[in-house]
Amino acid sequence: MRAAPMRELVIVPEPREILPAEAAALVQAYQRASKADGTVRAYKADAAAFTAWCVRFGFRSMPASPEAVAAFLVHEAEAGRAASTIGRRLAAIRYAHKLVGAPDPTDDEGVHATVKGIRRRTGVKPTQKAAATADVLAAMLMRVPETLAGKRDRALLALGFAGAFRRSELAALNVEDLQEDKDGLRVSVRRSKTDQEGRGIEKAIPHGRFIRPVALVREWLEAAGITEGPIFRPVSRSGRVRGAERLTDRSIAEIVKGYAKAAGLDASTFGAHSLRAGYITTAAERGADLARIMDQSGHRDPRTVVGYIRRANAFKDHSGSGFL
């Protein structure tokens, strides 16, 4: 009899319980990319604050117990942290545990009760920055010096207002994002808070007659000799542009605060968001359509914009104007 042919031996690898270190690091990098850069930075700071507190009081931070999380949140509340900050701290702890596959200590009835108690005691109303309306912006622009840094600041204030930009959007703008149009500029926002996947939106910036944002942006770029890369860059005290560096979110906020103070306003109530709020408020005061305002601001939830409109028109056609 002919012997049966031998079957080829197939070696099946042992199933892995744990990914190799390099693969695990790569997976975590993509998981972190699901969050905006600003959110990641904030979460890292929140996690560091929690870890430092745990070290100080002898708790384990990873995996943490619900009791430790609740005590940390109370500590933050007693230290005067805003409810929004405490909420973000909680989200950071939750996210850190989920990333490593540890049990979520924030999903505990005791932690939920603690958060509810903090909200009842401290309140949840957000602190809104003052709106740099068209009139306020004009007063700020009048205080800008005739220097290279001044040209940059003038362009930043005008464009930030005209496009109702978030500060992260302003900081991320490149020359390549600007497209000339006979009616002004078309500005491409490649990624924003409400567009984390980078589909991109386009904002139309008219030439204008009063603020003249398009002309001010051109003046800055020409004076600085910038033809590509970041639009808004640091300028040294000697008046030189610092290479291809990009202004940070914080730098933009400080610039707005600085000119608010120069205009005789309370700088503590102003920030980078003031430009965005100022555009929406001014547009609402001038009777602009809600949908058109949202086109420019990039808001997806009309309730946010309606809040600006309601505040801007609080005294217009007031119900008591005929008898008060």
Side-chain angles (χ1 to χ4, degrees):
M1 290 179 62
R2 176 187 282 179
M6 291 184 63
R7 293 183 179 179
E8 184 178 349
L9 183 62
V10 178
I11 300 175
V12 179
E14 287 287 329
R16 288 184 181 273
E17 293 294 333
I18 302 174
L19 284 173
E22 290 184 4
L26 187 60
V27 169
Q28 285 197 347
Y30 273 91
Q31 289 170 336
R32 282 191 290 270
S34 68
K35 301 288 184 184
D37 290 344
T39 302
V40 172
R41 286 195 297 271
Y43 276 13
K44 284 183 177 179
D46 294 332
F50 178 56
T51 300
W53 180 88
C54 286
V55 170
R56 179 181 173 188
F57 292 99
F59 287 95
R60 185 174 58 184
S61 61
M62 181 63 68
S65 67
E67 292 76 16
V69 173
F72 170 68
L73 297 181
V74 169
H75 175 270
E76 293 295 279
E78 290 294 307
R81 303 279 187 264
S84 58
T85 301
I86 292 173
R88 196 192 64 227
R89 296 262 207 256
L90 187 70
I93 295 170
R94 180 188 304 119
Y95 185 61
H97 280 72
K98 286 186 175 182
L99 270 184
V100 299
D104 179 9
T106 70
D107 189 19
D108 176 84
E109 189 56 40
V111 174
H112 294 326
T114 301
V115 172
K116 184 178 288 187
I118 289 171
R119 287 175 174 268
R120 276 179 171 273
R121 280 201 174 189
T122 63
V124 297
K125 183 179 180 181
T127 303
Q128 292 185 333
K129 291 298 182 183
T133 59
D135 292 338
V136 170
L137 182 68
M140 292 166 69
L141 290 172
M142 289 175 61
R143 272 69 179 183
V144 179
E146 293 298 328
T147 60
L148 185 60
K151 291 181 185 296
R152 178 205 61 196
D153 296 347
R154 198 175 282 119
L156 186 150
L157 294 172
L159 185 62
F161 175 86
F165 286 105
R166 297 179 176 88
R167 62 181 182 177
S168 59
E169 295 170 351
L170 267 181
L173 284 179
N174 291 332
V175 175
E176 294 80 6
D177 298 324
L178 307 181
Q179 181 183 344
E180 296 282 348
D181 187 281
K182 64 181 179 64
D183 295 317
L185 277 177
R186 295 179 183 272
V187 182
S188 296
V189 179
R190 290 163 289 153
R191 191 183 297 273
S192 66
K193 182 179 179 181
T194 56
D195 177 31
Q196 291 302 316
E197 295 181 3
R199 293 186 181 91
I201 61 171
E202 184 179 85
K203 297 193 177 193
I205 309 297
H207 288 291
R209 291 181 297 161
F210 306 104
I211 296 174
R212 300 169 47 251
V214 177
L216 293 179
V217 169
R218 286 174 178 164
E219 287 176 16
W220 153 243
L221 292 176
E222 289 174 8
I226 297 173
T227 58
E228 62 180 7
I231 293 176
F232 298 112
R233 311 182 184 193
V235 177
S236 68
R237 292 186 178 181
S238 60
R240 292 188 177 186
V241 178
R242 294 181 184 172
E245 289 182 48
R246 198 182 291 275
L247 280 184
T248 65
D249 294 7
R250 182 172 295 181
S251 297
I252 292 173
E254 291 303 316
I255 288 171
V256 175
K257 285 179 175 290
Y259 288 110
K261 182 178 180 180
L265 304 168
D266 182 359
S268 67
T269 64
F270 282 80
H273 188 76
S274 296
L275 300 176
R276 180 173 169 81
Y279 176 90
I280 297 170
T281 301
T282 303
E285 289 174 343
R286 307 294 170 88
D289 181 72
L290 172 62
R292 297 298 288 156
I293 295 176
M294 290 178 66
D295 281 344
Q296 195 71 344
S297 68
H299 278 103
R300 289 187 176 179
D301 188 346
R303 290 175 297 181
T304 304
V305 182
V306 166
Y308 285 103
I309 294 175
R310 184 177 291 118
R311 183 174 178 81
N313 296 322
F315 292 96
K316 189 177 291 184
D317 298 323
H318 194 283
S319 60
S321 59
F323 58 87
L324 291 177

